[in-house]
Amino acid sequence: MRTEPTYASYLRLDELLTLQEPRSAEEGADLTTVRSEQFFIVSHQTCELWLKQILGDLAAVEGHFLTMSAGGIERSVDLLYRAGELLRLLREQLVALERLPLEDFAHFRRYLGTASGAQSSQSHRLEGVLGDARRPGSLFPAFRTGLDHIGVDLEEIVEAGVEAGSLHRVVEAMLQVGSGYFQWKIGHIGLVTKMIGEQRGTAGTSGAAYLMDRATMPFTELHELRGKMHERRQKQTSRLP
Ligand code: HEM
């Protein structure tokens, strides 16, 4: 028979709270440095946990796009907004990490070797879902396929705005995710610039300059459609007496 769970057993806290192992502790660094390294580790671990949640939620959204049931569309809106909130949280975490004392970071950075966020497979997967300005990810084409399935044109949704109801809400929520993702990247550049200036990253890239080149907004097609709508509206209003 299963025993009644406790807070600690349900959350597996015994395991979770032993997963932070600052290397500086092994070398007898002072406690302030060890705590700072723990802060750095926890920031990355929580980031990976939220990425896990975001990826799962966005996979569910893609599933709903395939069927395009009324309930599924509403659920996608909720899930997309949740992913947007989590991306906001990720950015906030980076702002908190700006409180990492530079001298402590300079002390323990050597333990990273060539380890870098650039190796985060979950962040690669997220990029594969959302895409960037150069390549579309899997989410947007899934939405397009779903719309084809129910015989709706994306341009019409953009044109109709709130009149398009739940499909308009999906578009708005998707844009929120795109913006959250972009803001996360920008926040990361801010942190990197503050922490290492123009130094190279541990993965060997040029650091902030490399990241700036990679920070682009996903859902280009959607932005283009919105831009075109302005053009059309301008033409319409210029024809008015
Ligand atoms: C002091 C804190 C941090 C510094 C100095 C830093 C620095 C860097 C640098 C320089 C890069 C470029 C690749 C390289 O050459 O290493 C990078 C990439 C990356 N970092 Fe950070 N990072 C920090 C915190 C974080 C945190 C908390 C996360 C959250 C998981 C994160 C996630 C990433 C990701 C996902 C990439 C790849 C980005 C891309 O390819 O566009 N970083 N980081």
Side-chain angles (χ1 to χ4, degrees):
M1 205 176 72
R2 261 181 172 250
T3 53
E4 192 64 24
T6 63
Y7 177 76
S9 71
Y10 180 71
L11 297 174
R12 304 192 46 190
L13 288 186
D14 284 349
E15 286 135 294
L16 184 66
L17 299 179
T18 52
L19 297 177
Q20 298 72 41
E21 296 178 349
R23 296 279 176 97
S24 52
E26 292 161 22
E27 298 221 341
D30 66 57
L31 199 56
T32 313
T33 308
V34 176
R35 270 202 222 100
S36 289
E37 191 183 350
Q38 172 169 304
F39 177 40
F40 181 83
I41 293 171
V42 170
S43 301
H44 283 80
Q45 286 180 338
T46 46
C47 172
E48 290 293 337
L49 285 174
W50 287 129
L51 284 174
K52 178 178 178 175
Q53 185 68 38
I54 293 168
L55 285 166
D57 286 353
L58 294 180
V61 170
E62 279 191 28
H64 290 312
F65 284 168
L66 290 180
T67 57
M68 280 290 188
S69 68
I73 292 173
E74 283 304 335
R75 278 193 186 280
S76 320
V77 174
D78 288 347
L79 288 170
L80 285 166
Y81 275 125
R82 182 159 87 190
E85 284 299 322
L86 295 180
L87 286 162
R88 189 184 55 76
L89 215 58
L90 287 185
R91 187 198 158 111
E92 293 291 313
Q93 278 183 208
L94 294 177
V95 174
L97 197 52
E98 288 190 16
R99 296 284 155 208
L100 179 69
L102 186 59
E103 61 275 27
D104 293 337
F105 185 42
H107 181 100
F108 69 75
R109 195 171 178 229
R110 64 198 143 108
Y111 302 123
L112 303 181
T114 54
S116 161
Q119 295 162 341
S120 161
S121 56
Q122 293 202 107
S123 88
H124 296 156
R125 277 174 55 206
L126 185 60
E127 192 176 325
V129 173
L130 299 180
D132 56 29
R134 298 169 194 108
R135 290 162 296 266
S138 56
L139 188 69
F140 187 70
F143 184 51
R144 278 227 113 130
T145 308
L147 290 178
D148 287 349
H149 188 65
I150 56 171
V152 176
D153 184 39
L154 180 62
E155 216 158 313
E156 282 167 24
I157 301 172
V158 174
E159 187 67 39
V162 289
E163 301 297 327
S166 56
L167 291 174
H168 165 72
R169 289 198 290 279
V170 172
V171 168
E172 288 294 314
M174 215 149 40
L175 288 167
Q176 179 83 8
V177 170
S179 162
Y181 182 64
F182 182 64
Q183 297 295 332
W184 177 45
K185 293 214 155 208
I186 298 297
H188 181 249
I189 295 171
L191 171 70
V192 171
T193 306
K194 184 177 177 199
M195 287 299 161
I196 61 170
E198 294 189 348
Q199 286 269 306
R200 299 189 81 77
T202 44
T205 72
S206 58
Y210 163 82
L211 292 165
M212 263 184 230
D213 188 48
R214 286 182 50 73
T216 57
M217 262 292 189
F219 309 133
T220 313
E221 221 179 313
L222 208 43
H223 293 116
E224 279 171 7
L225 281 180
R226 285 163 74 89
K228 278 187 195 151
M229 181 180 151
H230 282 285
E231 256 178 57
R232 274 196 303 277
R233 288 287 153 95
Q234 267 164 5
K235 277 185 194 147
Q236 279 166 7
T237 46
S238 64
R239 270 193 236 115
L240 289 175

